[in-house]
Amino acid sequence: MEEGQYLLGRVIPTLIEQRERLKTRAEAAEETCERLRHEIGELQGQLAALRGENQALRNEGAAVGEVFNTLLEHMNAMMRSLSETQQRFPFMGLRHP
């Protein structure tokens, strides 16, 4: 009986200490988890903003491409017109010495 009491006297405090350590670790893990949830929320917001900015830049690039394409079409039309004019009126062409 004395041996049982002695063992219980050692086991119970050890179990209480382990419980406190585990409780402290669990609380720290919960705090870390909450902090990470907050960071994830912030990062998701930043990601959404970057995706929006990326899409705006893509749209802008496409618009610039369309403008450039239109410019090239106009330049080609001008060159055709100049070429046709030169063919009809060869004397108006540039003269090379």
Side-chain angles (χ1 to χ4, degrees):
M1 182 114 159
E2 287 179 29
E3 189 175 324
Q5 287 179 345
Y6 173 76
L7 287 176
L8 286 177
R10 288 186 61 195
V11 170
I12 291 175
T14 301
L15 291 175
I16 291 173
E17 286 176 21
Q18 284 179 346
R19 179 189 168 275
E20 288 302 316
R21 281 195 306 271
L22 291 173
K23 181 181 174 185
T24 302
R25 287 179 61 192
E27 289 170 352
E30 287 175 359
E31 289 173 7
T32 299
C33 187
E34 185 60 35
R35 180 181 52 80
L36 291 173
R37 277 192 194 107
H38 180 72
E39 287 179 21
I40 287 171
E42 288 178 355
L43 290 172
Q44 286 174 333
Q46 291 175 4
L47 180 60
L50 288 171
R51 283 182 174 157
E53 185 179 340
N54 185 27
Q55 188 59 48
L57 290 171
R58 286 176 183 253
N59 292 342
E60 187 176 311
V64 168
E66 288 176 17
V67 168
F68 188 70
N69 192 32
T70 301
L71 175 66
L72 289 177
E73 288 173 1
H74 287 298
M75 289 177 69
N76 284 335
M78 287 173 39
M79 292 301 292
R80 279 192 303 276
S81 178
L82 285 173
S83 179
E84 290 170 3
T85 301
Q86 186 179 16
Q87 287 174 1
R88 280 193 255 165
F89 306 102
F91 57 89
M92 294 180 69
L94 293 176
R95 296 182 184 166
H96 297 285

